[in-house]
Amino acid sequence: MLSAFIGAVLCITGYTLWLLRSDALASSFQQSALMARSFENALTQSLNATGQAASQALSGARGKAGLREVEADFAQILRGAPHLRSLSLINSQDRIVASSNPANVAQQVPTSDYLPLIHGPQTVLRLGTPWLGRDFAAGRAAEAGVGAGVATDGVSTLIPATLPLQGSEGLRLLVALNPDYFVNQMAQQLDGPVGMVEVLRLDGARLMTTNPEMPVGQTAYGKALALRFQEREFGQFEAELGQATLTAYRVSTLYPFVVLTHLYREVALARWVTEVTTVLGVLIPVLVVLSFLAWGLHRRQWLLQLQRAESERLQRVNAAFVFTHIREGIVITQADGSIIDVNDAFVRITGYSRAEVLGKNPRFLNSGRQDKAFYEAMWSELLATGQWRGEIWNRRKDGEVFAELLTISAVPDSQGKVQQFVAVFNNITSIKAYQDELEHSARYDPLTNLPNRVFLADRMRNAMTQAQRRQLLLGVVFIDLDGFKAINDHHGHEAGDQMLVTLAERMRLSLRESDTLARNGGDEFVALLADLAAPADAIPTLERLLEAASQPMDWRGQTLTVTASMGISFFPQSNKRTRDELLHEADMAMYQAKMAGKNRYHLSPGPVVPSCSEPVL
């Protein structure tokens, strides 16, 4: 009876230990598969981000002067991309024509053997075999094939890849990936004594590995495994790499590479071996054995829960990393528009904390600059196409209005019903301000802030058109300062500049709101007097201008005074129709005023209004 009991206990114990061993192997295979998936996702996302950043740089650079501007944009991208060694443009003859590393230019980089093999124009990313060296200029391609390759211990390598460029006349983007960055990321999650990670092309060529003794460029495992990669997107098997390993692989859904994670079976079964030793040591006391078995089963369940929790954590980490660290603000709402999540960039740009916005509709950011019709058109396009992109003005928590480039995407369920909306935006306020500054500097004089010659031409053209339409006169006043050169010569250009600024403001204030004062250059100004019924109607304004110009100005304890000589011509006239003719006539009248003693005005001969409207030139 006791023997039977002991035998039963031994059988139960042996069966239990066998189950534990099977569970340990299955759990280790699952962990290996999860790691392979995590590493493949990270590598795929890095390639996606690289292609998007380079495409945006090239799109913004098409209006620039040349390839050197593209190189500068590439160098800017590399500052925030530790997974890259260089970005280059390569022509159809496989020669580098522009690069973030100038030493790469003119380097020949054969791409005919890159995967996938193509016949015709390139439309997808293609991967080459590793190069030895930090970049193309100082490197060489590693030997490929069975038995080829070189160990990476102490040797810098790079992985070349090419991406197509739309509308770039035969140019492609050549990316030099930094394997060290990815290897370090993998090594942080999988210690060397526990296992190793490899990244292969789909033909089996080894691109990178966390084991420095394994050669890169070598075609690993033969054609049979390469065929398995092409047949199944993921899988697992036991392999012999110096010692038995539990291997899982994951093929990228977008690019021609596969990630293999190897866990050493000896390490995976180490806990199981310990449990066997413990069980055999306490078999005789049946109660202790039974208690130990109960504890062992409980521990096994606990470990499985931890492993499941860890696998879920790894999946969340990949998505949360991008959501948290991306520079663009992200807002996720329900179908009714209520906010369910925002990222750190949203908090930084808007000034609102996450707790303040949860459950609210994003319309609380409305600045009031867009009308109801704008938002109706936006929602109409979003619901019709599932996406909307454009510029919009919103308001921060502190009341500051800012411009953003916004993209909204609808997220439907399997039946096509919208469940969520995801909005991604960039703060482009500084870009808009810079555009306004450029437009202002092109139309206004930088010293006096009066309209310059370019803007004067536009104002004059409009004023002439209105004068014809309203059948009223336009007065064109040419103003030249008397004695201004003496101020520059005796008191310096700083005093002269201050005099121009002061007189410009005084004369501008002496005009009506419908009139225009512009700086023609130097000490010359032009005033446009609109809506005059007769030439005499201009005289009160001319006298105010003379009085404003003759007012003294205090300069460092000294009183500086100038006067003005003015000439005025009128439009329309039967023989004067162009802006240049009117300005010339006013200039001649101004010289008549100077010859008559300065500090006065002179009217050109009175206008003769044509019987019909004539074109303004």
Side-chain angles (χ1 to χ4, degrees):
M1 191 69 179
L2 182 59
S3 299
F5 179 79
I6 293 175
V9 170
L10 289 175
C11 290
I12 294 174
T13 302
Y15 180 74
T16 302
L17 293 177
W18 177 80
L19 287 178
L20 290 174
R21 182 181 184 278
S22 299
D23 287 341
L25 292 175
S27 177
S28 297
F29 267 123
Q30 183 182 19
Q31 183 180 4
S32 180
L34 289 172
M35 288 185 176
R37 179 178 181 179
S38 174
F39 298 150
E40 181 270 328
N41 284 340
L43 186 53
T44 298
Q45 291 172 5
S46 296
L47 291 174
N48 281 338
T50 299
Q52 292 173 2
S55 296
Q56 291 175 1
L58 287 172
S59 176
R62 288 196 173 102
K64 298 182 179 178
L67 294 176
R68 302 293 77 81
E69 296 289 340
V70 176
E71 293 178 341
D73 289 342
F74 282 171
Q76 179 68 26
I77 293 174
L78 255 63
R79 293 190 182 98
H83 63 284
L84 301 178
R85 293 202 188 277
S86 66
L87 289 171
S88 307
L89 288 181
I90 186 172
N91 61 20
S92 58
Q93 286 77 39
D94 290 344
R95 188 172 299 278
I96 296 176
V97 297
S99 176
S100 58
N101 179 3
N104 288 340
V105 177
Q107 179 74 28
Q108 190 77 22
V109 182
T111 63
S112 59
D113 61 343
Y114 285 18
L115 288 185
L117 299 176
I118 61 173
H119 301 285
Q122 180 176 345
T123 58
V124 296
L125 178 140
R126 302 179 65 209
L127 278 175
T129 56
W131 279 53
L132 305 182
R134 291 195 59 81
D135 213 336
F136 296 107
R140 61 180 178 85
E143 296 181 12
V146 179
V150 61
T152 59
D153 190 9
V155 178
S156 295
T157 63
L158 64 89
I159 300 173
T162 61
L163 293 93
L165 299 175
Q166 297 294 331
S168 295
E169 300 179 356
L171 296 180
R172 294 165 290 158
L173 179 65
L174 178 62
V175 179
L177 298 174
N178 179 9
D180 295 340
Y181 172 83
F182 298 105
V183 168
N184 289 336
Q185 295 291 322
M186 296 171 182
Q188 290 177 5
Q189 299 187 47
L190 184 61
D191 293 333
V194 177
M196 57 172 284
V197 183
E198 296 181 276
V199 179
L200 312 179
R201 286 200 321 180
L202 291 184
D203 62 354
R206 184 177 289 114
L207 301 177
M208 65 180 86
T209 175
T210 58
N211 186 349
E213 298 179 0
M214 300 188 73
V216 298
Q218 183 186 56
T219 299
Y221 311 113
K223 294 183 178 180
L225 188 58
L227 291 175
R228 180 185 293 186
F229 295 157
Q230 297 176 11
E231 293 173 355
R232 295 192 61 188
E233 185 175 305
F234 56 90
Q236 57 191 37
F237 56 89
E238 292 195 31
E240 187 68 35
L241 301 175
Q243 55 180 307
T245 64
L246 308 177
T247 300
Y249 69 87
R250 184 84 180 187
V251 179
S252 173
T253 57
L254 298 177
Y255 305 119
F257 70 86
V258 58
V259 177
L260 287 84
T261 303
H262 307 282
L263 297 181
Y264 299 128
R265 187 170 62 182
E266 180 180 353
V267 176
L269 293 177
R271 186 183 302 276
W272 177 81
V273 172
T274 302
E275 291 175 348
V276 169
T277 303
T278 303
V279 170
L280 293 177
V282 293
L283 258 182
I284 296 178
V286 176
L287 294 177
V288 177
V289 170
L290 294 176
S291 299
F292 181 78
L293 288 176
W295 174 82
L297 291 173
H298 174 75
R299 181 176 177 82
R300 181 173 68 87
Q301 294 298 327
W302 176 67
L303 288 175
L304 290 175
Q305 291 176 359
L306 286 180
Q307 290 171 353
R308 283 193 295 267
E310 179 64 12
S311 67
E312 294 173 357
R313 186 190 70 83
L314 289 175
Q315 292 176 356
R316 291 193 299 268
V317 163
N318 289 330
F321 182 85
V322 175
F323 183 79
T324 302
H325 293 88
I326 192 171
R327 293 183 178 181
E328 289 81 2
I330 300 178
V331 184
I332 303 176
T333 73
Q334 294 180 344
D336 62 0
S338 58
I339 297 175
I340 59 177
D341 204 358
V342 296
N343 68 344
D344 293 345
F346 173 92
V347 175
R348 184 183 67 254
I349 294 173
T350 66
Y352 289 95
S353 68
R354 183 174 182 273
E356 289 177 304
V357 303
L358 291 183
K360 292 185 177 180
N361 191 291
R363 68 169 63 95
F364 76 90
L365 296 170
N366 190 346
S367 67
R369 290 200 179 187
Q370 280 86 22
D371 56 16
K372 182 179 179 181
F374 172 86
Y375 289 102
E376 288 178 350
M378 180 188 75
W379 278 102
S380 176
E381 180 179 344
L382 177 59
L383 296 177
T385 66
Q387 189 175 60
W388 182 87
R389 178 180 174 86
E391 295 182 4
I392 193 171
W393 287 87
N394 276 333
R395 191 178 302 276
R396 288 170 45 85
K397 183 179 180 179
D398 59 11
E400 178 186 353
V401 176
F402 67 97
E404 62 182 56
L405 181 61
L406 174 65
T407 300
I408 308 176
S409 300
V411 181
D413 57 16
S414 58
Q415 284 75 38
K417 183 179 179 181
V418 175
Q419 297 296 309
Q420 294 179 343
F421 293 102
V422 179
V424 181
F425 64 92
N426 284 318
N427 188 344
I428 59 172
T429 307
S430 59
I431 297 176
K432 301 289 287 185
Y434 181 64
Q435 291 173 347
D436 294 342
E437 181 180 348
L438 287 179
E439 182 176 352
H440 185 274
S441 63
R443 299 170 67 86
Y444 287 86
D445 176 57
L447 177 63
T448 63
N449 204 33
L450 293 177
N452 59 15
R453 290 183 180 181
V454 175
F455 200 8
L456 172 63
D458 291 340
R459 289 278 183 92
M460 195 167 176
R461 183 186 301 108
N462 293 335
M464 293 169 69
T465 301
Q466 290 182 1
Q468 287 183 323
R469 183 183 301 116
R470 298 174 181 175
Q471 295 185 355
L472 294 172
L473 297 179
L474 168 68
V476 179
V477 185
F478 200 100
I479 306 170
D480 185 81
L481 301 182
D482 306 321
F484 179 75
K485 183 176 184 301
I487 291 178
N488 263 343
D489 293 342
H490 292 90
H491 300 280
H493 290 285
E494 185 178 357
D497 288 347
Q498 186 59 43
M499 175 65 76
L500 290 174
V501 172
T502 301
L503 293 187
E505 181 63 15
R506 290 175 180 172
M507 290 190 293
R508 185 185 67 81
L509 293 175
S510 68
L511 297 177
R512 301 168 300 172
E513 290 186 2
S514 59
D515 299 335
T516 298
L517 180 66
R519 186 183 179 195
N520 195 47
D523 60 348
E524 296 177 348
F525 297 85
V526 174
L528 303 179
L529 310 183
D531 299 336
L532 301 175
D537 292 344
I539 293 177
T541 303
L542 295 176
E543 291 176 347
R544 290 197 301 271
L545 288 172
L546 286 176
E547 182 181 358
S550 62
Q551 293 295 318
M553 183 192 77
D554 180 72
W555 173 253
R556 296 177 180 175
Q558 301 182 56
T559 301
L560 306 182
T561 305
V562 297
T563 60
S565 297
M566 304 180 189
I568 182 170
S569 61
F570 296 94
F571 178 87
Q573 298 185 37
S574 59
N575 59 344
K576 298 274 191 312
R577 297 196 307 271
T578 69
R579 289 179 283 109
D580 292 340
E581 288 175 338
L582 289 172
L583 286 172
H584 178 71
E585 183 178 352
D587 189 15
M588 292 298 99
M590 180 273 295
Y591 275 106
Q592 293 293 327
K594 279 189 178 290
M595 294 177 63
K598 303 180 180 179
N599 192 24
R600 64 191 66 219
Y601 58 85
H602 182 81
L603 277 65
S604 67
V608 178
V609 180
S611 59
C612 61
S613 177
E614 298 179 354
V616 175
L617 302 178

